[in-house]
Amino acid sequence: LFNKVYSIAYDNSNNMFRTGLEFLSNNLKDFNSKIPNLDNTSDLIKSQTGWQIKTVSGFVDEVIFFELLANKCFPSSDIIRLSKRFYNKYKNTNVKNVLDYTPEPDIFHEIFGHAPFLLNNDYSLLLQKIGKLGCSILYSKDLTKDLIIHNLKRLQNFVWWTLEFGLLKSNNSLGYEIYGAGILSSYDEITHVLSSEGSIREYDFEEIIMTRFDYSDLQDRYYLIESFNTLLKDFDDYQEHFFYKG
């Protein structure tokens, strides 16, 4: 899996990802050839940016997810696609269990797709801000239960269309680089982007927070943003969009 995805992900990613991936490859024994040890990976990242990896079981609920991020902890499953555990978990469902794509965030998605970014201070700061904002929404006394759910969905949409499936403008031949971890950890998703089968749209903050997503298949669209600094600025400037009161 690593060997199949590495080159195409590295060649089409942005500098944050490439730098982080090289660091992990150079400092973790057998990073390129074995399922990574989460404790060792966590210790290495903590030594650089203060972030830790916390083992979870697949998807986690909003409370756990946002509280972990707010405390500089990134959740990671210890299950991997095509494994017996994965098969038993989804054998009575329509969930795909294939090498090139998985809808559940398995250990390869988290460590290959996300962990390299945790070594970048700007990216890590945004993640922590997302966690703190999520907690503020969850515990807001000014929002009804329905409005809390609605505003959390806006924040989840923001994360999905940017940190999971976002593109950055570039001067390369494609005109973009991939920074979405959901793309970079999936061979099928990368080729889907490169073949232009998925629509590439200009980033619009209000549009992405109101656009629902489907995690069960390849994405039908990808949003192209001017720069990562634009994302950081917009997140800070448009906080009120996550406290919609009807």
Side-chain angles (χ1 to χ4, degrees), residues 43-204:
D43 289 344
L44 179 61
I45 294 172
K46 186 178 180 181
S47 72
Q48 300 300 305
T49 60
W51 276 72
Q52 301 178 70
I53 305 290
K54 292 295 183 182
T55 304
V56 298
S57 179
F59 289 111
V60 294
D61 68 31
E62 292 92 345
V63 175
I64 295 174
F65 178 73
F66 290 119
E67 287 188 347
L68 283 173
L69 294 187
N71 289 286
K72 301 177 74 171
C73 295
F74 192 85
S76 174
S77 171
D78 62 354
I79 194 172
I80 192 164
R81 64 197 76 178
L82 290 183
S83 66
K84 185 175 181 180
R85 285 174 62 200
F86 196 102
Y87 171 78
N88 288 335
K89 185 173 183 179
Y90 290 105
K91 63 183 177 181
N92 295 318
T93 73
N94 292 321
V95 172
K96 293 163 64 177
N97 181 18
V98 296
L99 184 68
D100 297 331
Y101 174 83
T102 176
E104 176 177 318
D106 69 346
I107 190 172
F108 183 78
H109 166 74
E110 305 293 18
I111 301 305
F112 184 87
H114 282 288
F117 290 108
L118 296 178
L119 293 158
N120 181 275
N121 287 313
D122 288 337
Y123 186 100
S124 297
L125 179 59
L126 176 59
L127 271 185
Q128 187 176 27
K129 287 181 177 179
I130 288 170
K132 289 180 177 179
L133 177 60
C135 291
S136 294
I137 297 169
L138 278 165
Y139 302 123
S140 173
K141 298 185 182 303
D142 297 324
L143 299 172
T144 65
K145 183 178 180 180
D146 286 344
L147 285 173
I148 287 174
I149 293 171
H150 173 81
N151 283 291
L152 284 178
K153 190 61 185 175
R154 289 186 174 201
L155 184 54
Q156 290 164 344
N157 290 341
F158 172 83
V159 173
W160 187 265
W161 295 119
T162 58
L163 302 187
E164 290 290 353
F165 291 94
L167 306 174
L168 293 172
K169 288 186 179 179
S170 170
N171 292 325
N172 64 18
S173 59
L174 292 171
Y176 63 80
E177 296 173 332
I178 300 169
Y179 76 103
I183 307 174
L184 291 168
S185 59
S186 167
Y187 183 87
D188 280 1
E189 200 81 53
I190 296 172
T191 56
H192 189 62
V193 176
L194 298 179
S195 66
S196 299
E197 291 182 27
S199 169
I200 296 179
R201 306 186 182 193
E202 286 293 322
Y203 161 88
D204 179 273

Side-chain angles (χ1 to χ4, degrees), residues 213-235:
F213 57 84
D214 179 6
Y215 68 83
S216 67
D217 206 346
L218 300 174
Q219 301 304 299
D220 65 350
R221 71 195 68 190
Y222 307 93
Y223 288 95
L224 179 63
I225 193 168
E226 187 69 32
S227 69
F228 195 73
N229 284 337
T230 302
L231 189 67
L232 298 175
K233 185 176 186 304
D234 282 1
F235 185 79

